[in-house]
Amino acid sequence: MTVLTPHPTTADLIRSVVVALLAILQVLVAALAGSAIGEVARSVDTPLLAASWAFSIWSLIYLGFVVYAVYALLPGQRGRAIHRRVGWWLAATAVANALWILAFSHRWVVTAELLLIALVVALAVTYSRLSRDHAQDLTEQLAFRLPLSIYLGWSSVALVLGLMAAGVSVGLPAEGVLPQVGAILLLVILTAVVLSVIGSSAGFAGFAAAVVWALVGIVANDRPIAVTAVAAIAAAVVAVQAARRIGRSVQPLRLALG
């Protein structure tokens, strides 16, 4: 059965153009910030700091967002209900991301964490709305749903890393038993949330992969042994659970990519 796409309106065009411009803006802001983000992150050392190479995933995220923006701008896409439901939410993520970069690069760590929370909330709303139906084809899965899933996965872990950094920036200890216990508790909570998402939604493959990538980054960064062990176990549990659910599905590709 052929699914009719509503005729795109002027509002659809405006939304799509705004998202595309914001996609370019966040790339430019990230490029101008350069290595400042990494330098600030390393200067606020916490038990949950990931290895430098783990942050390279931002390049993939920005590329994925640009691909989505181009995809959503196509005449055959602009009028679709799915873009109307999530387009402005994704525009909000681009604004929050650009502001987060500026705040963090200027060492406004607490402000940056608040912006990161706003970013994750907007991504979570978008992911939830996408989960209400399936993609119309593989192109949508790869150009739209997969990039968003990766973005949410990494940002969710980044929020937890940023929470530790914000605590240290306001005077909480960075070393000793207390921050290690705090880090382990945050990892346990994060893992529980991630497993809940994997168990209750479709299109979680990129989400799970990004979370595992971030956790492995923590393991590889010579953190306290207890934190390293918990991060390693969390990465393994998330990877196994995601693989098991996909492997048991009668439609594994649809479950994995949405």
Side-chain angles (χ1 to χ4, degrees):
M1 182 178 66
T2 302
V3 178
L4 297 178
T5 300
H7 185 72
T9 64
T10 301
D12 293 324
L13 178 60
I14 292 172
R15 183 196 64 244
S16 301
V17 170
V18 168
V19 171
L21 291 175
L22 289 173
I24 296 171
L25 174 65
Q26 67 178 356
V27 171
L28 292 176
V29 171
L32 290 174
S35 60
I37 296 295
E39 292 174 359
V40 174
R42 288 188 291 272
S43 71
V44 188
D45 194 23
T46 76
L48 285 182
L49 180 62
S52 297
W53 55 260
F55 294 90
S56 64
I57 196 174
W58 278 116
S59 297
L60 178 62
I61 288 170
Y62 293 138
L63 175 61
F65 199 98
V66 170
V67 169
Y68 153 73
V70 172
Y71 174 75
L73 192 57
L74 296 175
Q77 290 294 323
R78 290 199 299 265
R80 290 184 60 207
I82 188 62
H83 297 300
R84 291 174 176 174
R85 288 204 304 268
V86 306
W88 287 114
W89 283 101
L90 287 171
T93 69
V95 173
N97 180 271
L99 293 175
W100 170 81
I101 292 171
L102 293 173
F104 198 78
S105 62
H106 284 83
R107 299 182 182 273
W108 302 333
V109 181
V110 175
T111 300
E113 180 66 6
L114 294 175
L115 289 166
L116 193 52
I117 291 171
L119 170 62
V120 172
V121 168
L123 287 170
V125 170
T126 304
Y127 182 87
S128 175
R129 294 188 174 194
L130 286 177
S131 296
R132 295 176 186 175
D133 51 35
H134 296 295
Q136 66 176 6
D137 52 30
L138 183 61
T139 300
E140 180 182 329
Q141 290 175 325
L142 297 179
F144 184 5
R145 295 175 182 251
L146 181 60
L148 172 72
S149 182
I150 293 171
Y151 198 174
L152 177 60
W154 170 259
S155 297
S156 298
V157 183
L159 187 153
V160 174
L161 304 185
L163 188 60
M164 290 290 295
V168 171
S169 72
V170 297
L172 294 179
E175 299 180 351
V177 174
L178 181 60
Q180 291 184 39
V181 171
I184 290 171
L185 288 175
L186 287 174
L187 285 174
V188 170
I189 294 170
L190 172 68
T191 304
V193 172
V194 170
L195 292 177
S196 175
V197 173
I198 292 173
S200 61
S201 66
F204 58 78
F207 173 82
V211 170
V212 171
W213 173 271
L215 292 172
V216 171
I218 295 171
V219 173
N221 199 33
D222 191 26
R223 298 296 88 188
I225 186 63
V227 176
T228 299
V230 173
I233 293 170
V237 169
V238 170
V240 169
Q241 181 61 20
R244 286 180 60 188
R245 186 157 186 247
I246 293 170
R248 293 177 176 179
S249 174
V250 295
Q251 293 182 306
L253 187 62
R254 173 169 287 188
L255 181 62
L257 299 180

